[in-house]
Amino acid sequence: MRSHTPSLVGRDPQLAQLERAMAEARQGQGGAVFLVGEAGVGKSRLAAEAVGGALDSGMRVLRGRSSTTGPAVPFRPLTEALMSLFRGGEPMDDLALGPYRPVLGRLIPDWDTGERDSSSMVILGEAVLRLLIATGRGQGQLLFLEDLHDADPETLGVLEYMVDNLVYTPVLLVATVRTDISDALDLAQSARRRGAAALVELAPLTRPQVHEVIAAQLGADSLDDVPAEVLQRLWEDSAGSPYLVEELLQSMIGSGALVQGPGGWRAVADLRRDVSSTLARGILRRIDRLGAQGLTLLSAAAVLGRRFPLSVLQRMTGVDDRALLGHLHASVAARLVVPDEPAPDWYSFRHSPTVKALFTQMTPGQRADLARRGAEAVEELHPALESDWCALAAGLRCEAGDRVEAGLLYADAGERALAAGALNSAVTLLSRAEGLLAEASDPQARAAVLENLLPALAESGDFARALDLVDDLHALDGAGLSAVRLATLHARLAKVAHTAGRWSDGNRQIARAREVLMAAPGETAEATTAAVDVTAAYLALDTPGPDRTQHAEKLARSAADIAERHGLPVVACQAWELLATVARERDPQESAAMLQQALTTAERNRLPLQRMYAATRMGGNAWLAEGDTSGLLAARQEALRLGSVNIVHTVDGILVLDAVLRGENTSARAVSEECLAVVRRLRLAPAVRYVLMARATLEAHRGDRVAMEAALAAFAEWDGAGSQEEPLSLGLARVFCSLLEEDRELARAELGTVLALEADNPSTYHLSGTHGLVLLLDVLAGHADRVRHEEIRATAMAQMRWNRQFVHLAEAVLLGREGAGARAAAAVETALAVAEPYPLAQHLGLRLIADAAHEDGWGDPVGWLRRAEHYFHERDIAAVTGACRAGLRRLGAPVHQHRSGTSGIPEHLRTQGVTVREFDVFRLLAERLSNKDIADRLFISPRTAEKHIASLITKTGAANRADLCARSAALRDG
């Protein structure tokens, strides 16, 4: 009988979708298709059919597969796929890859320079794209990655970038993903939501489709030739899984329950057996054909994992090279194992049920003995136990019952993963270590694991689990730990509490750490004191109090000094980052220098997490200075690659606020809702407060006080009072809401509240209005003079772009009062240029200064009011719209009704009072038509056309009709 169905059953629509995607890729319109389904549903079979079609069409096919068994190999599926490019003999050294070639050394051993590359996943993703495009041969390429659910976080980081940038390339990515919860499934679903990829979900086969598979397998002409009980049994036991249909059918035939005779197929034994037992026995019968030594070899391989190294297997079993290779070739022929490229020393079982079947014929003692021999073989062959081999040895020791040794090995592997910035892997490995050592009642070793597990949990966002370890820490207090170790654990737990926004819990842990350190020798305790001080500094900065910034700075400087003396790079980076935040309000250059020092220290000591933090703060400074989000976006990509949930959502909160200030309300609302759902679930209080503050600002900038107050009420529930976000929630939300209600006195009163709040609880967030907007409102009200203006303008906070626009407007008003009208108008133009990213603030500023400009006789108050009136009318903010219209009437300017088409008038013409009908005439003047021709085109009289042209000359200041025609032509030509 045939071992595979001769044709693909039940997947025609999905195959057609893949064929369309491949055809588009060959035309230069690449993309990504994720084949999603449960194990055994036929994802690989469908993909194999697509691969065959791709090869037939002339496309190059690059294949790679992920695996979590055996040593974890970063970028394994990508490396396997790309290495096939080098097997065909084509020259690769002359490819036009520019600076991206060295980056690819992380994936392609032939190009590895031996130097550690710290490029981000974005750069590596771009490098892979450049390579695929360069090697496309004009026929397109199919990148097929199998079992993406088993992929390492690094691979997923590269793929996330690639998926978003495949559209204009001749490359199609096809990946198989199981429906089990995984980061790969999240990536696929997220890509589908944003339209960057197609997600093809494979459902189990229907009963008729299962019957079709059975008939094809048996070579039957019709279902009448297959016993009904076989059809029924396989349908019920397979649950529509094509893989199980094939395996169970082979088991029936192999056991003799289903035989073929002269009259066709017939059942001669009881088919109603346990499914797993039947499947296991069928697989074991195939293995038995390999002989006793073959069974021994495969049993040992199964203990190593679904993926296993030949060198270790041979050391475990003592089999010579000839016998080993002979049995492996026989196993490949029996479809039990497959070569696991690109590593020549590695093979893997074709299906996980094969491993389970082998386990059924081993006693627990035999498995333990094999696992112990496997661990010894790994340790003999790889005495340094690099992190990948360390994890394999740990799993084998655990299987062998050596739980303490396994815990120590997992701890070692987890510590290396954390140092490398692989947070998800670190949490998994350290959690296993902590559990094993807790069972073994080894407090010293367990405490060492907790030192690394606590920060890993905090960075990955698992605060609940991290804080649950408080009880375990109380138990360890009496376990004979040294004062230094115990204080370190309390400091680590304090850092977790700070990240989660739980100031009081963090401060209690700091107090306990200091209490414990009092019993430690002075020289020994000093280094630990630095770690305690730097965490205490971060807590001090967020704990309400009038001197919190001074106290935090003092603690951070002390920590930095000790860190320098004792060579503590992590503490040094943390200290410089905090000092840079505090220094930002007095000297941006000093802040930048401190962050550069932190970044350099992190890079020199290979600390990816600390580098990410320094880069994030640099991005934050750039955003405050000029509204530039590129640094924040780059830091977010790095945080995603490393798995730092804290930084990802911290940056997301800033980006939400940036979108609100830019008037991108729809996107801001969507992103904030998505972000809130996550950070609320994680109980990441600082991020929750920041996003709720941004949401309150969003509603305020729409003029919706009810919705704003609801958001502020939610903000208060997350310990908003006394937080650093509280001044922002009032200055950006309530103050603006009052201004949009035309209540300047209430706005000034609320800014007074903000000033009082910042006096009692200094903030390192500087966009609340106390260094810009309050100055403008006080100048307009006559409560601020040139001296106060100079005092505020001289501060570093006033130079931040959001604040700077209001400082320039305040200067314009003062210059106008001093009789320097030309300079005042120039100051307004400067303010408008600064405010360009912030349209609401820009137009509100024009509304605020128009009356003062009119009273003092400078600028263009009528034009400014018209611009503001149109902007606020379009956004249905009635109070400001009405105030602008009233102002225009006071100034004796006509107030035009808003007709359909007003928004199509260029702003410079709209501010000059050009109406919709006048603009229609103006556009036709580019063709230099006569009055009669214009009248005919617009269905008006020539006299009316003449009046519109005269009005246009007056409003625009054109010299004559010819000048007006030239201006129209210039507008038409861009």
Side-chain angles (χ1 to χ4, degrees):
M1 61 167 282
R2 300 183 61 155
S3 61
H4 286 293
T5 55
S7 61
L8 197 62
V9 175
R11 304 302 187 203
D12 289 345
Q14 295 87 351
L15 182 59
Q17 184 173 352
L18 284 170
E19 289 172 344
R20 286 194 300 271
M22 289 188 292
E24 290 171 355
R26 291 194 293 273
Q27 297 300 318
Q29 295 294 316
V33 178
F34 292 96
L35 304 181
V36 178
E38 58 191 25
V41 80
K43 301 182 295 296
S44 297
R45 179 72 182 84
L46 173 62
E49 194 78 14
V51 166
L55 292 171
D56 289 343
S57 69
M59 294 180 75
R60 189 201 296 269
V61 177
L62 310 179
R63 288 179 268 203
R65 186 175 65 80
S66 304
S67 175
T68 57
T69 55
V73 180
F75 309 110
R76 180 190 183 282
L78 288 171
T79 297
E80 179 180 350
L82 297 180
M83 285 301 294
S84 64
L85 291 170
F86 294 77
R87 300 191 193 108
E90 295 181 26
M92 292 291 163
D93 292 334
D94 58 349
L95 296 177
L97 298 175
Y100 293 98
R101 180 189 170 105
V103 177
L104 288 165
R106 299 178 69 177
L107 305 180
I108 302 170
D110 291 356
W111 289 354
D112 189 357
T113 62
E115 297 180 3
R116 186 182 179 92
D117 188 353
S118 60
S119 298
S120 72
M121 296 303 99
V122 170
I123 295 175
L124 189 54
E126 181 63 22
V128 174
L129 280 179
R130 298 287 180 103
L131 176 61
L132 294 176
I133 293 169
T135 57
R137 302 186 302 189
Q139 291 296 315
Q141 298 212 61
L142 173 63
L143 176 61
F144 172 39
L145 302 180
E146 194 167 9
D147 294 339
L148 201 59
H149 44 270
D150 289 337
D152 53 282
E154 292 81 5
T155 293
L156 296 179
V158 172
L159 290 181
E160 182 179 48
Y161 175 83
M162 290 179 61
V163 165
D164 286 330
N165 292 276
L166 285 169
V167 63
Y168 296 116
T169 71
V171 180
L172 175 66
L173 166 66
V174 174
T176 62
V177 186
R178 286 186 187 170
T179 49
D180 303 331
I181 296 174
S182 67
D183 291 339
L185 183 60
D186 290 343
L187 185 153
Q189 292 173 335
S190 174
R192 177 178 64 175
R193 283 194 298 270
R194 63 179 183 269
L199 194 151
V200 178
E201 299 186 59
L202 298 185
L205 298 179
T206 63
R207 181 190 287 263
Q209 290 168 344
V210 167
H211 292 172
E212 187 178 347
V213 170
I214 296 168
Q217 284 272 314
L218 296 177
D221 294 330
S222 71
L223 292 180
D224 294 335
D225 297 332
V226 182
E229 59 268 37
V230 171
L231 296 174
Q232 179 67 19
R233 185 79 262 140
L234 290 177
W235 163 247
E236 292 178 357
D237 290 347
S238 70
S241 167
Y243 166 71
L244 285 179
V245 170
E246 295 182 18
E247 291 295 329
L248 290 170
L249 188 57
Q250 288 189 28
S251 296
M252 287 181 179
I253 296 171
S255 66
L258 180 64
V259 298
Q260 187 178 28
W265 292 98
R266 59 195 179 90
V268 297
D270 182 16
L271 301 173
R272 304 186 67 83
R273 299 181 181 182
D274 176 73
V275 177
S276 58
S277 299
T278 301
L279 182 58
R281 278 193 289 273
I283 294 172
L284 287 173
R285 285 191 187 92
R286 290 155 63 190
I287 295 173
D288 285 343
R289 299 191 187 105
L290 304 177
Q293 193 175 50
L295 174 61
T296 300
L297 272 172
L298 290 184
S299 297
V303 170
L304 291 174
R306 183 173 170 185
R307 183 170 176 263
F308 54 91
L310 297 190
S311 56
V312 174
L313 180 62
Q314 186 173 33
R315 182 65 65 95
M316 286 173 66
T317 58
V319 176
D320 60 48
D321 291 345
R322 182 176 180 180
L324 176 68
L325 293 177
H327 285 299
L328 279 172
H329 291 159
S331 299
V332 171
R335 297 178 55 248
L336 295 168
V337 301
V338 293
D340 197 11
E341 297 179 354
D345 187 46
W346 287 78
Y347 277 69
S348 65
F349 288 98
R350 187 177 183 86
H351 299 297
S352 56
T354 305
V355 177
K356 296 177 182 176
L358 285 162
F359 284 164
T360 64
Q361 54 81 48
M362 284 187 273
T363 66
Q366 289 173 324
R367 284 180 63 178
D369 180 60
L370 283 172
R372 187 171 291 107
R373 285 157 56 188
E376 291 169 354
V378 170
E379 291 162 3
E380 290 169 7
L381 291 169
H382 303 278
L385 282 182
E386 299 90 345
S387 58
D388 298 334
W389 294 106
C390 188
L392 176 59
L396 291 169
R397 286 292 181 189
C398 187
E399 181 73 18
D402 303 333
R403 305 186 70 78
V404 172
E405 182 65 21
L408 294 173
L409 288 170
Y410 274 130
D412 187 14
E415 184 177 2
R416 296 183 195 185
L418 182 61
L423 286 172
N424 294 333
S425 299
V427 169
T428 299
L429 294 167
L430 291 168
S431 296
R432 290 176 185 169
E434 196 271 337
L436 289 169
L437 296 172
E439 291 177 12
S441 301
D442 188 340
Q444 297 288 346
R446 188 182 179 206
V449 172
L450 287 174
E451 286 186 19
N452 293 311
L453 179 57
L454 285 169
L457 288 171
E459 288 294 341
S460 62
D462 197 347
F463 301 108
R465 185 171 164 216
L467 294 169
D468 282 345
L469 293 172
V470 173
D471 294 336
D472 298 310
L473 198 52
H474 289 325
L476 289 172
D477 268 346
L481 301 181
S482 68
V484 166
R485 169 147 283 169
L486 198 52
T488 299
L489 285 172
H490 283 292
R492 296 286 170 89
L493 198 52
K495 182 64 175 173
V496 173
H498 168 262
T499 304
R502 297 170 61 161
W503 313 314
S504 56
D505 289 341
N507 286 323
R508 277 196 294 273
Q509 293 298 327
I510 289 295
R512 178 61 182 148
R514 295 196 189 286
E515 180 183 343
V516 169
L517 276 178
M518 292 177 66
E523 189 67 26
T524 305
E526 188 176 45
T528 307
T529 299
V532 174
D533 279 349
V534 76
T535 302
Y538 279 91
L539 284 162
L541 197 60
D542 286 342
T543 302
D547 59 347
R548 60 182 177 185
T549 53
Q550 296 93 325
H551 184 42
E553 186 172 17
K554 180 179 178 181
L555 287 168
R557 287 201 178 279
S558 173
D561 292 342
I562 297 173
E564 186 174 348
R565 289 199 302 272
H566 288 268
L568 306 171
V570 173
V571 174
C573 289
Q574 292 173 340
W576 287 118
E577 289 158 15
L578 185 142
L579 290 169
T581 300
V582 175
R584 186 169 58 200
E585 67 181 61
R586 62 174 177 261
D587 187 348
Q589 283 71 36
E590 180 186 0
S591 177
M594 290 174 171
L595 288 176
Q596 186 59 52
Q597 186 167 352
L599 188 71
T600 302
T601 301
E603 291 175 343
R604 184 172 60 247
N605 291 277
R606 298 181 178 179
L607 301 172
L609 289 174
Q610 295 311 135
R611 184 192 183 284
M612 173 195 67
Y613 271 98
T616 302
R617 292 181 187 275
M618 285 178 164
N621 280 3
W623 176 69
L624 287 170
E626 291 298 337
D628 179 7
T629 60
S630 59
L632 286 171
L633 290 170
R636 186 184 188 278
Q637 287 297 321
E638 186 69 4
L640 276 173
R641 184 183 72 81
L642 296 175
S644 176
V645 172
N646 177 33
I647 289 298
V648 167
H649 295 302
T650 296
V651 173
D652 281 347
I654 299 173
L655 294 176
V656 169
L657 180 59
D658 179 72
V660 172
L661 299 183
R662 291 175 181 270
E664 299 165 0
N665 294 345
T666 301
S667 63
R669 188 179 301 280
V671 175
S672 67
E673 287 174 356
E674 184 176 337
C675 186
L676 272 176
V678 177
V679 294
R680 277 175 165 154
R681 185 178 71 250
L682 295 174
R683 306 293 298 177
L684 187 56
V688 174
R689 285 195 299 270
Y690 201 96
V691 177
L692 285 172
M693 175 275 297
R695 281 294 293 268
T697 303
L698 167 63
E699 305 301 350
H701 287 206
R702 294 175 55 248
D704 190 339
R705 182 171 288 275
V706 174
M708 176 197 72
E709 292 296 348
L712 290 177
F715 170 83
E717 291 174 1
W718 285 83
D719 296 327
S723 69
Q724 292 217 48
E725 298 85 3
E726 186 180 20
L728 288 180
S729 71
L730 300 180
L732 289 174
R734 280 207 174 111
V735 170
F736 269 80
C737 192
S738 296
L739 289 174
L740 295 182
E741 293 169 344
E742 283 293 313
D743 193 340
R744 294 193 197 179
E745 287 308 309
L746 179 57
R748 291 184 63 240
E750 286 163 338
L751 280 168
T753 302
V754 175
L755 285 165
L757 280 174
E758 292 186 347
D760 293 336
N761 293 294
S763 173
T764 56
Y765 299 150
H766 305 298
L767 305 185
S768 60
T770 56
H771 293 87
L773 183 57
V774 69
L775 173 64
L776 173 60
L777 293 180
D778 283 353
V779 166
L780 290 170
H783 296 292
D785 56 11
R786 174 65 65 179
V787 173
R788 185 175 170 210
H789 177 273
E790 294 305 316
E791 289 175 352
I792 291 179
R793 189 178 67 171
T795 64
M797 291 84 82
Q799 298 308 308
M800 295 175 180
R801 186 162 191 164
W802 175 259
N803 295 328
R804 199 160 74 238
Q805 59 182 326
F806 302 113
V807 174
H808 284 306
L809 290 175
E811 182 180 23
V813 174
L814 289 171
L815 286 169
R817 288 178 185 166
E818 294 164 0
R823 292 173 58 200
V828 172
E829 291 305 313
T830 301
L832 293 178
V834 172
E836 188 272 332
Y838 314 120
L840 182 134
Q842 184 187 59
H843 289 89
L844 183 61
L846 293 177
R847 154 70 191 119
L848 291 172
I849 67 168
D851 287 340
H854 173 68
E855 290 171 7
D856 296 323
W858 60 274
D860 182 19
V862 172
W864 297 338
L865 284 175
R866 282 208 174 102
R867 283 182 61 179
E869 189 271 343
H870 179 79
Y871 177 87
F872 290 109
H873 171 79
E874 290 287 305
R875 283 147 190 81
D876 199 25
I877 300 178
V880 185
T881 303
C884 290
R885 290 176 177 174
L888 286 169
R889 292 188 186 97
R890 285 196 308 274
L891 272 56
V895 178
H896 303 294
Q897 296 299 316
H898 287 275
R899 297 178 179 177
S900 175
T902 302
S903 59
I905 304 175
E907 186 172 299
H908 71 281
L909 293 176
R910 192 168 57 242
T911 57
Q912 291 169 339
V914 173
T915 66
V916 173
R917 183 54 85 182
E918 288 171 347
F919 183 60
D920 291 338
V921 172
F922 179 78
R923 286 189 299 179
L924 292 176
L925 286 171
E927 302 176 33
R928 300 186 180 276
L929 301 176
S930 67
N931 290 352
K932 185 177 184 304
D933 290 336
I934 292 173
D936 290 342
R937 290 270 194 100
L938 299 178
F939 301 100
I940 59 177
S941 69
R943 177 65 175 161
T944 302
E946 183 180 355
K947 287 182 178 179
H948 285 323
I949 293 170
S951 178
L952 283 167
I953 291 174
T954 301
K955 290 179 178 180
T956 62
N960 48 42
R961 182 180 179 125
D963 184 18
L964 195 63
C965 290
R967 296 187 186 198
S968 176
L971 178 65
R972 178 196 61 190
D973 298 337

